């Protein structure tokens, strides 16, 4: 058996897309097709080259290595095709190619003969040090901007508006919701079907490649959501692919189908897909979705854990410096511990516990927050326990936006948005913000709807956008925020809602203090423990801009309602 075939059947292949699927056979020789369909009795090919005539369909041969193979001399680049598979019960079904590099535009479902080549010019942006700033802007590429008539922006069209926006707002990374081809808009891409094919919504591979190249040229690193846990249940895609369950282990909690992570060929399929997005599409990293679901709610959870270890170890070895992020935050997962010590080997993990506790606090009525205050402070966790990302993501903006969920009137919500963003920036860890949160969008995130850019005409929301931009620039200038070496609490007062802490990196020590209550506090005591004065550097709301003396390690601050700031300790 050939080594590449053996790797595929052993569940350790990271380049199975070079073995399976459709590939040119050489000049004037048509295309070669290779398929994994162990339950099939017969496999045929039909497409544009034969007018989709079943009676003249090409027959594939079942080879002794367990794969179906065939060559179609008439097949040409750009033509559509499908497999016609006879299952074990004798019935025939048309199926798209699981390894196709392109598909026809929806509502069509056929695969397209394609070669994913693009003249990339800009360098990759991998290998950033752990102490480098990471400010991630998360968005749904198919809806961040739409044409007036509802048409999608192609990758190059999106780049013209997205790249300047990211640069102006000082983001270092962009994270796209899944861009592997998917049949249902309402899934946002999280129920995929084409794991080697960037969606036609943005122009397929060429459109995505142009977008990635433009982002890299501007110094923006590219992350993409990767979904190896479940997939679309559509009957003409991966479900019961060869007449029997092949890719799936059973139904998921989302109406989709769970991947069978106990199957070695399925693992190779997913490992190769992840490598494809890094190798061929030149993404700088992946955020891996629904890890906790695979570990704790799917059959064979231990095999899912082994899969994730193989995934992270293999990708880190093949793509040094790539950023691998786990969605779920559960201490028992050891998501960011290395695989040698039993961890899953991810670089970062979304701090979902912090997100949930913080939003629950700001959503509570002002008079009923004291009971949640300890939870808010406790969500900071032990300093350095994990490599975390403070994520205010798409999940927190559906079915209601973050702005809408906050308690109070519009002015109180805007003030709390400033506090929330300041808290996110100052809490140890990296930061992620979903599109629209930066200006306090009231609308929930739904597929097909742009962020409500019209809100920027409102003075309050425009000011919040400017504040978010200024905060990002401030973060980039202060290592104590993006790479703290130590963290210490200076105040936790549930009765007033005041919390404060210091962050230190090198010779820089910053104090962050927030009044989350609706009453002013005068001369509130915080204990940075050393220094002679505190110089105000950044404010959320009204803050006295005069230096404040430190005596015997204590500092007294006046804090207006729903305000906060950052001071430098000297």
């Amino acid at each position: 058996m050939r080594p590449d075939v053996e790797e595929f059947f052993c569940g350790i292949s990271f380049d199975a897309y070079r073995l399976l699927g459709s590939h040119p056979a050489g000049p004037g020789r048509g295309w070669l097709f290779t398929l994994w369909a162990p339950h099939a009795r017969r496999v045929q090919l039909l497409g544009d080259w034969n007018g989709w005539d079943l009676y003249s369909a090409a027959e594939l041969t079942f080879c002794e290595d367990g794969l179906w193979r065939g060559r179609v001399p008439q097949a040409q680049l750009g033509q559509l095709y499908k497999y016609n598979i006879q299952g074990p019960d004798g019935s025939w079904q048309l199926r798209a190619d699981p390894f196709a590099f392109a598909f026809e535009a929806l509502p069509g479902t056929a695969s397209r003969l394609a070669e994913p080549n693009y003249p990339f010019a800009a360098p990759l942006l991998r290998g950033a040090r752990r102490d480098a700033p990471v400010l991630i802007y998360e968005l749904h590429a198919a809806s961040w901007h739409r044409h007036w008539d509802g048409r999608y922006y192609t990758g190059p069209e999106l780049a013209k508006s997205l790249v300047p926006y990211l640069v102006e707002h000082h983001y270092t990374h962009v994270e796209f919701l899944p861009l592997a081809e998917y049949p249902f808009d309402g899934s946002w891409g999280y129920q995929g079907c084409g794991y080697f094919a960037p969606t036609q919504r943005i122009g397929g591979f060429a459109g995505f490649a142009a977008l990635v190249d433009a982002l890299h040229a501007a110094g923006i690193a590219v992350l993409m959501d990767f979904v190896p846990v479940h997939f679309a249940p559509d009957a003409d895609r991966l479900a019961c692919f060869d007449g029997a369950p092949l890719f799936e282990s059973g139904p998921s909690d989302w109406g989709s189908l769970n991947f069978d992570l106990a199957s070695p060929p399925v693992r190779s399929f997913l490992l190769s897909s992840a490598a494809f997005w890094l190798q061929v599409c030149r993404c700088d990293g992946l955020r891996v979705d629904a890890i906790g679901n695979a570990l704790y709610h799917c059959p064979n959870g231990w095999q899912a854990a082994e899969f994730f270890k193989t995934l992270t170890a293999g990708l880190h070895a093949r793509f040094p410096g790539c950023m691998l992020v786990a969605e779920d935050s559960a201490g028992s997962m050891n998501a960011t511990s290395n695989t040698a010590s039993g961890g899953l080997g991810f670089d970062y993990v979304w701090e979902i516990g912090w997100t949930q506790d913080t939003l629950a606090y700001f959503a509570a009525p002002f008079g009923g927050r004291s009971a949640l205050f300890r939870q808010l402070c406790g969500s900071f966790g032990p300093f350095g326990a994990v490599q975390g990302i403070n994520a205010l993501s798409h999940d927190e903006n559906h079915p209601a936006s973050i702005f809408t969920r906050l308690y109070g009137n519009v002015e109180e919500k805007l003030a709390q948005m400033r506090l929330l963003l300041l808290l996110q920036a100052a809490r140890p860890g990296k930061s992620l913000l979903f599109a629209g949160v930066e200006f306090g969008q009231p609308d929930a995130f739904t597929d097909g709807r742009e962020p409500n850019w019209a809100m920027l005409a409102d003075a309050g929301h425009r000011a919040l956008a400017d504040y978010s931009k200024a905060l990002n620039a401030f973060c980039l200038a202060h290592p104590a925020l993006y790479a703290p070496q130590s963290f210490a609490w200076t105040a936790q007062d549930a009765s007033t809602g005041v919390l404060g802490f210091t962050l230190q990196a090198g010779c820089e020590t910053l104090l962050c203090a927030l009044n989350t209550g609706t009453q002013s506090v005068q001369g509130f005591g915080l204990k940075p423990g050393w220094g002679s004065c505190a110089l105000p550097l950044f404010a959320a709301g009204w803050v006295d801009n005069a230096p404040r003396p430190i005596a015997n390690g204590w500092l007294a601050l006046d804090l207006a309602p729903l305000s906060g700031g950052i001071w430098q300790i000297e």
Side-chain angles (χ1 to χ4, degrees), residues 204-520:
F205 173 79
F208 182 55
L211 176 58
V212 169
D213 211 32
L215 288 161
H216 283 164
I220 307 294
V222 179
L223 311 176
M224 195 195 76
D225 281 8
F226 177 63
V227 189
V229 175
H230 63 119
F231 62 92
D234 298 53
D236 57 350
R237 303 288 190 163
L238 298 178
C240 286
F241 181 76
D242 57 359
L246 185 63
F247 289 90
E248 65 266 41
S249 64
S252 76
D253 296 335
W254 301 287
S256 53
L257 295 172
N258 286 320
F259 275 112
D260 182 6
L261 298 180
S263 164
V266 171
R267 291 200 300 270
S268 287
F269 173 82
L270 294 168
L271 295 173
S272 298
S273 174
F276 172 84
W277 292 94
L278 298 178
Q279 175 70 42
V280 181
C281 297
R282 291 171 66 89
C283 292
D284 300 292
L286 301 172
R287 191 217 65 148
V288 183
D289 183 65
I291 289 174
N293 183 272
L295 293 174
Y296 304 127
H297 302 292
C298 294
N300 306 311
W302 69 271
Q303 290 173 314
E306 292 305 311
F307 166 76
F308 293 126
K309 293 176 185 179
T310 303
L311 175 74
T312 58
L315 294 179
H316 280 138
R318 290 164 175 79
F319 310 103
C322 68
M323 180 189 293
L324 301 179
V325 181
E327 176 194 11
D328 297 83
S329 178
S332 60
M333 285 171 52
N334 298 316
T336 59
S337 298
N338 62 51
T339 55
S341 63
L344 299 185
F346 287 93
D347 300 302
Y348 299 97
V349 61
W350 274 15
E351 291 277 40
I352 293 177
W354 170 81
T355 304
Q356 293 174 341
D357 290 344
T358 301
L359 292 181
Y361 180 83
F362 283 105
F366 295 122
R369 292 184 171 181
S370 59
L372 297 172
F373 189 81
R374 177 180 294 183
Q375 189 171 311
L376 171 69
C377 297
S379 68
F380 275 58
F383 175 70
V386 297
Q387 297 291 330
I389 292 179
N390 305 323
L392 297 174
S393 74
H394 67 279
D395 282 333
E396 285 72 57
N397 287 275
H398 181 88
S401 71
I402 288 177
F403 182 84
T404 300
R405 291 164 63 180
L406 301 185
Y407 184 77
N409 59 35
V410 171
E411 293 304 316
E412 290 166 335
K413 289 176 185 288
L414 288 168
Q416 291 185 97
M417 283 296 302
R418 290 190 289 269
L419 288 181
L420 178 60
L421 295 178
L422 182 64
L423 195 61
Q424 179 195 37
R427 182 184 187 270
K430 311 304 184 182
S431 294
L432 177 144
L433 208 64
F434 183 64
V437 177
E438 71 271 25
F439 59 84
Q441 170 171 282
D443 307 67
F445 167 59
T446 58
D447 56 286
R449 182 187 297 175
E450 292 187 25
N452 190 351
W453 302 110
M455 296 304 301
L456 291 172
D458 176 87
H461 289 273
R462 176 74 256 176
L464 179 60
D466 291 340
Y467 168 89
S468 175
K469 182 182 359 179
L471 180 58
N472 281 351
F474 182 79
C475 288
L476 294 178
H478 291 278
L481 290 179
Y482 62 75
Q485 296 167 340
S486 68
F487 168 91
W489 285 102
T490 61
Q492 294 184 30
D493 186 2
S495 63
T496 60
V498 173
L499 64 152
F501 49 88
T502 57
L503 301 151
Q504 174 271 327
C507 60
E508 178 181 63
T509 300
L510 301 179
L511 168 73
C512 179
L514 297 89
N515 178 9
T516 65
T518 56
Q519 302 298 318
S520 297

Side-chain angles (χ1 to χ4, degrees), residues 101-106 112 152 181 197-205:
F101 294 128
F103 290 86
E104 67 175 321
L106 294 170
R112 188 181 298 277
Y152 302 109
E181 191 62 85
T199 178
Q200 287 299 312
R201 292 168 177 83
I202 62 167
F205 173 79

